[in-house]
Amino acid sequence: MNNIDKQYQELLQDILDNGIEKKDRTGTGTISVFGRQIRHKMSEGFPLLTTKKMAWKTMVTELLWFLRGDTNIKYLVDNDCHIWDGDAYKNYLNKAKNYTTEDLFYNKLSGVGDVIEGMLEAHTRDFRPYTQEEFINKIKNDDEFAKKWGELGPIYGNQWIKWDKIEDDGMQYGISEIDQIQNLINDLKTNPDSRRLMVSAWNVGELDQMVLPPCHYGFQVYTRELSEGERGLLLQPYGLDPLTKEGRDRLWKENNLPTRAISLMWNQRSVDTFLGLPFNIASYGLLLEIIAKEVNMVPDELIGNLGDTHLYLNHIEQAKEQIGREPFELPKLGMDYREGEYDKNLTDFVPDDFYLIDYQSHPAIKAPLSN
């Protein structure tokens, strides 16, 4: 069953039918609606759209980058993920205006020999900024350049993993870091019915330091006890369901089977519906799967609350093409296991640890990204 593609196509049509034209920061222009919702039952398959081919590894790489607490595009570029290239390059150009050629030159080089070599390089480049292609090559091959110019500010990964907390006991003052993801996992294990199972990326005091304020600015999870019927379905791979409750409980304990289901709801202030939203759906679907595995729960429902939900004016024809396509069945998600057990820390994952089973899709539909 594939309801997620149908919902997505209906949302595209909704924007085409009811959207109002608005200006935006990129200068591209949009048609926009406000206040929509996406809901998906994870039992129906992994929510990766089939009405156009999706860049699976790119999406996985970005999520793992968030979970590392990383905010520098070096990791993304090294893993052939380029969705933040435009934002990083735009930030580089804006900041480079405040530097003289000498500033850029001496920050990049050290030593007399390097200085001479750098002067020759600068002369052949006529003291111009790097093109975006040159910029990305420098990020990939020059660690010092990447450290300075690949940084995007305290965006998602920083807020998820390294939210700054001021410590002041009247005697000493300092700053510690809050790992919201690890705190969430700890709370799920100890107090799964809490109504405070939330992670936020919207740090008001640091918005002006970010290359782009968070579009998807927070998420909340919710858990519930599995019903007897749901438990019975989980027992099927282990043979016949024992007739007695005692037998079922014994089999359950022996195999460490889940007793709860977990759902995730994310909130998004700004939604690039054609390019961004399909990534957001799949990314939070994968995050739900990862957290569920960490706390031994069954992924249940994925919900997206969408604020300014828009199509860029140069995406309209692409949206119409996708609306006309018939969805395929959804794929399943495969996750890496070692020696039959799940034993990786969140920061140990690499993109190849996650793979799709039976993914079939229509061809990709190209559309320009507005930065």
Side-chain angles (χ1 to χ4, degrees), residues 63 66-68 156-157 159-162 178-188 198-200 219 287 290-291 294-295 346:
L63 177 62
F66 293 159
L67 292 173
R68 289 161 55 93
Y156 299 100
Q159 305 305 334
W160 283 15
I161 308 298
K162 301 174 182 178
I178 299 173
D179 186 336
Q180 293 191 81
I181 298 294
Q182 190 57 56
N183 285 351
L184 174 66
I185 290 169
N186 294 340
D187 289 344
L188 282 166
M198 299 175 64
V199 170
S200 177
F219 67 91
L287 180 61
I290 291 172
I291 294 173
E294 278 286 316
V295 298
L346 297 183

Side-chain angles (χ1 to χ4, degrees), residues 348-363:
D348 292 335
F349 284 122
V350 295
D352 288 342
D353 287 331
F354 304 93
Y355 55 93
L356 298 171
I357 302 168
D358 298 329
Y359 180 53
Q360 185 179 7
S361 74
H362 290 269

Side-chain angles (χ1 to χ4, degrees), residues 3 194 231:
N3 288 319
S194 172
R231 290 191 179 201

Side-chain angles (χ1 to χ4, degrees), residues 73-86:
I73 66 165
K74 171 71 171 170
Y75 174 85
L76 300 179
V77 171
D78 287 347
N79 284 280
D80 199 26
C81 174
H82 297 285
I83 55 180
W84 285 88
D85 285 6

